[in-house]
Amino acid sequence: MTYPRQVLNRIKWGGGLSGVVITYIHRGGPDDLASVNGEDITELGRSFFTLREGQIPYHRIVRIEEEGEVVFQI
């Protein structure tokens, strides 16, 4: 099984996170989902990825797209 953190690290070290869109569970958002661009990620930590606004746990990620192609989805 491939985990979101593994996918994001592979993309990061393979050329960078620009062109990546991460969709995650965000209670209270439309359809309880929100999306963020890879350029907005400041750190890929052990259990969370970090944005300027805060941290998002990897277990909330439902889809990762790279250049419009889905590379991870639960």
Side-chain angles (χ1 to χ4, degrees):
M1 173 179 231
T2 303
Y3 296 97
R5 180 175 180 246
Q6 294 171 314
V7 173
L8 291 171
N9 270 313
R10 177 184 50 79
I11 294 169
K12 176 183 175 181
W13 297 110
L17 293 170
S18 65
V20 172
V21 176
I22 299 111
T23 302
Y24 61 95
I25 297 169
H26 178 69
R27 293 180 202 102
D31 296 324
D32 286 333
L33 297 174
S35 294
V36 64
N37 294 320
E39 300 89 44
D40 297 332
I41 296 174
T42 59
E43 180 183 354
L44 295 176
R46 180 178 173 143
S47 299
F48 301 87
F49 66 94
T50 304
L51 309 168
R52 286 181 224 104
E53 302 84 30
Q55 296 179 321
I56 309 295
Y58 292 115
H59 70 266
R60 288 193 179 180
I61 294 175
V62 295
R63 184 174 55 250
I64 301 171
E65 298 173 52
E66 182 179 18
E67 302 296 333
E69 178 184 339
V70 176
V71 294
F72 173 84
Q73 187 163 342
I74 59 166

